[in-house]
Amino acid sequence: MMIRPAELAAIKAGTIDLAFRRWAKPRVVVGTRMRTGVGLIEVTSVEQVSMSQLRAEDARRAGAPSLAALKQALAARPDDPAWRIGVAYAGPDPREALRSAVPDAGEIATITARLDRLDASSPYGAWTRETLDLIDLNPTVRAPDLAAQVGRETQDFKKDVRKLKELGLTESLAIGYLLSPRGEAVVDAGLPEPRVRAPREQGTPLPRSIGAPATRALREAGVTTLEQVASYSAAQLAAMHGVGPIAIARLGEALAEQGSELAP
């Protein structure tokens, strides 16, 4: 179930608690928890509705500007029934806490065994340590470029990185990846000595929802954290090639969640 970034922010803030979809049959059930850019979103209800049942209050709770706009959004695929889905913010993604949890020797042994099983079941062969090492040595590099370095198809490479992310070993950025502190500990455990790495960037990473062009433009200006964005006005951001209105709006939303805002 795809939810737009602005709607995700509103669900987290509690100003949206409904979504409407046209589906042949429900694609979620009550209790489904979806991982999103703002954390976990839980499905609290699922019911079929007719267009005549929709009210202005439904539109308001779904974040639509009007009942007419909600009905227009549901006009596509009229042969499929409409569904009213209750949604609620269910807390941060548990992988966030896992990434920062540095494992002890026993945990590293458990993770290593899990990596061995992933290697053994892969048609590509042993890939887990290769991929962890590749990300460690090439932080913030685009996935297609990383995949090309090891002769892999980008989509297959991304799928495997997601498996490492499930273990709390990697972090996805707007462009590329980083090893988490947990991932660094696992890599270092397999080396004669811990690897010397550049200091970790302090602050909140730029939101992935702003897209790669805006991320590149901000990086070129030396802006790599959300806190640094707060010193720029909307006009200054707009002057950067690649930072468009949508990216500026999403940066503003991310700052608002922190109780901050763009400079005047």
Side-chain angles (χ1 to χ4, degrees), residues 115-200:
L115 296 179
D116 289 339
R117 290 195 294 273
L118 288 172
D119 284 339
S121 64
S122 172
Y124 174 76
W127 62 270
T128 58
R129 278 70 164 189
E130 174 187 73
T131 304
L132 287 170
D133 204 49
L134 185 66
I135 292 171
D136 196 19
L137 296 174
N138 300 274
T140 74
V141 172
R142 295 171 63 249
D145 296 333
L146 293 176
Q149 287 191 44
V150 289
R152 302 196 62 186
E153 293 295 329
T154 299
Q155 292 308 313
D156 288 340
F157 178 81
K158 285 183 173 181
K159 288 178 183 177
D160 280 343
V161 174
R162 283 196 289 272
K163 295 173 186 175
L164 299 176
K165 187 176 181 180
E166 289 296 318
L167 298 176
L169 304 181
T170 65
E171 302 176 26
S172 296
L173 307 175
I175 301 175
Y177 311 97
L178 285 177
L179 287 193
S180 66
R182 189 175 186 83
E184 291 175 353
V186 170
V187 167
D188 285 346
L191 299 175
E193 295 182 2
R195 181 169 284 159
V196 177
R197 301 176 178 89
R200 225 168 236 280

Side-chain angles (χ1 to χ4, degrees), residues 18-197:
L18 286 180
F20 290 86
R21 296 292 187 273
R22 284 277 197 184
W23 291 331
K25 59 182 180 179
R27 297 181 185 176
V28 293
V29 298
V30 174
T32 296
R33 287 193 166 192
M34 300 171 286
R35 292 176 179 144
T36 74
V38 300
L40 297 178
I41 300 298
E42 182 171 351
V43 175
T44 59
S45 63
V46 181
E47 59 181 323
Q48 186 174 337
V49 294
S50 67
M51 298 296 280
S52 63
Q53 290 176 297
L54 299 179
R55 297 291 182 267
E57 179 67 3
D58 292 316
R60 184 193 66 78
R61 291 173 61 188
S66 66
L67 177 57
L70 174 60
K71 289 185 175 182
Q72 179 62 36
L74 292 170
R77 301 174 62 182
D79 293 335
D80 288 339
W83 300 88
R84 179 195 284 123
I85 305 112
V87 289
Y89 179 65
D93 188 331
R95 293 175 300 183
E96 292 180 14
L98 184 62
R99 289 196 293 262
S100 61
V102 177
D104 59 23
E107 291 175 300
I108 287 177
T110 299
I111 295 169
T112 298
R114 175 61 177 149
L115 296 179
D116 289 339
R117 290 195 294 273
L118 288 172
D119 284 339
S121 64
S122 172
Y124 174 76
W127 62 270
T128 58
R129 278 70 164 189
E130 174 187 73
T131 304
L132 287 170
D133 204 49
L134 185 66
I135 292 171
D136 196 19
L137 296 174
N138 300 274
T140 74
V141 172
R142 295 171 63 249
D145 296 333
L146 293 176
Q149 287 191 44
V150 289
R152 302 196 62 186
E153 293 295 329
T154 299
Q155 292 308 313
D156 288 340
F157 178 81
K158 285 183 173 181
K159 288 178 183 177
D160 280 343
V161 174
R162 283 196 289 272
K163 295 173 186 175
L164 299 176
K165 187 176 181 180
E166 289 296 318
L167 298 176
L169 304 181
T170 65
E171 302 176 26
S172 296
L173 307 175
I175 301 175
Y177 311 97
L178 285 177
L179 287 193
S180 66
R182 189 175 186 83
E184 291 175 353
V186 170
V187 167
D188 285 346
L191 299 175
E193 295 182 2
R195 181 169 284 159
V196 177
R197 301 176 178 89

